[in-house]
Amino acid sequence: MKPLGDAGLYLPCRAGFEPECAAEISERAATFGVGGYAKTERDSGYVRFLGLDAESQSQLCRALPWHALIFARQRLSVFAELQNLDPKDRLSPVLDAMAGSGQVFGQLSMEHPDADVGRDLAGLARSFGNALRAGLRKPGHLSAKDDPRKPTLHVVLLSGTHLLLAAGDADDTPPMRGQGERTAPWTGGIPRLKLAHDAPSRSALKLEEALLTLLSPDERTRWMKAGQQAVDLGAAPGGWSWVLARAGLSVTAIDNGPLAESAMGTGLIKHLRSDGFRWRPPHPIDWLVCDMVEQPKRVAALMGDWLVEGDARRAIFNLKLPMKKRWQEVREQMEVLDARLKQAGLNLELRARQLYHDREEITVATVPR
C-alpha cells in the first residue's frame, strides 16, 4: 500500500451528531498521543479526521477498532480522496489511484453517508459499483470472486464528483470485540434488521441491534441462554421483553403501562405494574435491560445500584441525551459508572454505541471482562 499521507479517517455517524463524533475522536486520538483535527459539516452524516501522517494514521487505526467508538458507526482508513470527478468518467481516476496501491482487495463496498444528501447517492452507488467492480478486476486490483480473507475496498461517495477510497480489514480473524476485526462488517457500519410482524414496537430493533453490535457471537451464545432470568424496567409496550423472550429467557416486565398482546403471548413474560426505580427482584437475575425516558444521570445511577448490590449480573440500557453537550454527558456518566463498578470490585466492562435504531440516546452494555 502506498503512503497514506493526509487522507485521514472517515467516520460515518447519525446525521446531527457530527459534533459529538468529532469531539469523541479528537479526545480519543489525544489519549493515544496522536495529533490531528476533525472536519465536520452539520447534518452531513460523517466526520473526517485529518492532519495525520502515515504512521499516526496506522497507529490510530490499530488503537481504535470500530466497536471502541460510541458515535461513529464505522472507522475507515482513507488512502485516497478524489474530487472534481468528471461525471462521464469516474472510473479512470479510481483506477489511477489504485495503480500504486500494491494490494489486491477481496471485496468492494459502495457506500454513502446516511443523511439526506447521501441517500440521494444510493442509485449512483449501485450503478457505479457495477462498472467499478468489473473495472477493478481487469487489472487485478479486485479478486475475481469475493474473497473475505482479503481486505475490503470501501468506496465512499460524498457527492457525484467527490469520493474516498478506504481499506477495511480482512475477515480471516475472530469476529468481534477487539479480536481482529477493526472495521465494522456491515456497509456503512449499519446492520440492516427487519422488524418482525408480531414485534410489540420498533424499540425491539434497538435491543436486537445492541445484542448484535455490543456482544460477540460467542458472548451471545454463552450469556444469552434459554431459561435465564431477565428484568425489563420501563417495559411497555414490551419490545425489549419480547426480544428476550424469543431468545428463551424468562422476563419480568416492570411498567405501570400495558404490554402488547404479542409480548404476553410468548408465555415467558410476567408483567408487574410497579415503579421501575423502586422495584427489586427477590433473587439475582442474569440480565437487566432498561429503556426508560429519564435523565441519563438517574438511569446510570439506577443501573449501578442493581449491579453493585448484586441484583443483576449484566445489563443493557439506554441513556437519553440532552440537546447540548451530549459527548460531555456521555463521557461523564460512563466515567462515574465505571469508577463505581471498579470501587465495588466488579470486573465489568462498559461498552456503548449510538445504534442505528437509537435517536437522541446511546445504548450501553455492562458485561464481564
Side-chain angles (χ1 to χ4, degrees):
M1 180 79 65
K2 65 181 179 181
L4 297 173
D6 192 21
L9 306 182
Y10 169 74
L11 305 137
C13 63
R14 186 175 187 84
F17 280 79
E18 297 85 6
E20 289 70 32
C21 184
E24 180 184 14
I25 186 62
S26 298
E27 285 196 18
R28 299 297 302 278
T31 63
F32 296 112
V34 175
Y37 64 94
K39 182 179 180 181
T40 67
E41 182 179 335
R42 191 73 178 188
D43 296 324
S44 64
Y46 68 92
V47 170
R48 300 282 306 281
F49 194 69
L50 304 171
L52 303 171
D53 57 28
E55 182 179 351
S56 295
Q57 185 164 330
S58 178
Q59 176 188 349
L60 193 55
C61 287
R62 289 194 302 271
L64 285 179
W66 68 273
H67 48 74
L69 295 164
I70 297 173
F71 289 101
R73 293 170 174 169
Q74 175 67 287
R75 192 275 298 133
L76 293 178
S77 179
V78 179
F79 64 87
E81 178 175 10
L82 306 180
Q83 302 185 65
N84 303 316
L85 296 172
D86 182 352
K88 296 180 180 180
D89 182 17
R90 299 181 179 90
L91 180 59
S92 296
V94 174
L95 295 179
D96 289 343
M98 293 292 298
S101 69
Q103 185 168 351
V104 176
F105 290 91
Q107 300 177 87
L108 172 65
S109 178
M110 297 297 302
E111 306 184 15
H112 54 80
D114 181 41
D116 290 341
V117 175
R119 282 187 285 270
D120 293 339
L121 296 169
L124 175 59
R126 286 191 295 271
S127 60
F128 182 47
N130 292 332
L132 182 58
R133 190 171 283 104
L136 290 170
R137 281 175 172 160
K138 187 174 181 180
H141 300 314
L142 185 67
S143 58
K145 295 182 179 179
D146 284 355
D147 186 353
R149 296 170 299 177
K150 294 183 174 67
T152 296
L153 173 63
H154 297 260
V155 177
V156 183
L157 294 174
L158 300 182
S159 75
T161 60
H162 184 189
L163 63 78
L164 307 176
L165 301 180
D169 295 330
D171 293 337
D172 58 347
T173 49
M176 278 186 63
R177 308 306 328 171
Q179 301 176 53
E181 190 175 277
R182 296 185 177 275
T183 51
W186 311 284
T187 300
I190 302 173
R192 301 294 179 175
L193 304 176
K194 184 177 180 181
L195 185 68
H197 73 279
D198 57 339
S201 66
R202 291 194 62 82
S203 68
L205 293 174
K206 284 194 283 190
L207 185 55
E208 288 184 351
E209 185 183 353
L211 295 173
L212 187 64
T213 59
L214 295 176
L215 302 180
S216 71
D218 177 65
E219 289 170 342
R220 291 195 296 273
T221 299
R222 289 188 291 116
W223 296 340
M224 191 69 60
K225 295 181 179 179
Q228 289 183 326
Q229 303 293 313
V231 168
D232 183 1
L233 300 180
W240 285 31
S241 295
W242 176 83
V243 170
L244 295 173
R246 288 219 308 175
L249 280 70
S250 296
V251 185
T252 302
I254 308 299
D255 203 302
N256 284 316
L259 263 62
E261 291 184 6
S262 59
M264 299 306 298
T266 63
L268 289 173
I269 299 174
K270 178 183 179 181
H271 180 203
L272 298 180
R273 294 181 180 271
S274 186
D275 182 350
F277 280 93
R278 296 179 180 275
W279 187 87
R280 287 290 190 280
H283 306 288
I285 51 104
D286 299 289
W287 280 100
L288 171 66
V289 300
C290 176
D291 187 21
M292 293 194 289
V293 181
E294 261 294 348
Q295 296 179 1
K297 181 177 182 179
R298 196 174 181 209
V299 172
L302 179 65
M303 298 298 101
D305 291 343
W306 277 69
L307 295 165
V308 169
E309 294 169 14
D311 289 320
R313 297 181 179 90
R314 309 171 196 92
I316 295 178
F317 55 95
N318 274 357
L319 295 180
K320 312 297 179 181
L321 302 179
M323 294 303 295
K324 298 180 179 180
K325 298 183 178 181
R326 293 181 290 202
W327 163 242
Q328 291 89 334
E329 182 72 21
V330 165
R331 181 183 57 191
E332 178 181 346
Q333 299 310 322
M334 295 281 285
E335 289 176 351
V336 169
L337 180 56
D338 187 51
R340 186 178 178 192
L341 297 177
K342 289 178 179 177
Q343 186 176 14
L346 297 178
N347 192 25
L348 294 175
E349 176 186 356
L350 286 179
R351 302 173 183 172
R353 290 189 65 75
Q354 185 177 42
L355 306 175
Y356 174 71
H357 294 96
D358 282 339
R359 293 187 182 276
E360 303 289 328
E361 61 199 351
I362 66 165
T363 301
V364 184
T366 60
V367 296
R369 294 183 184 274

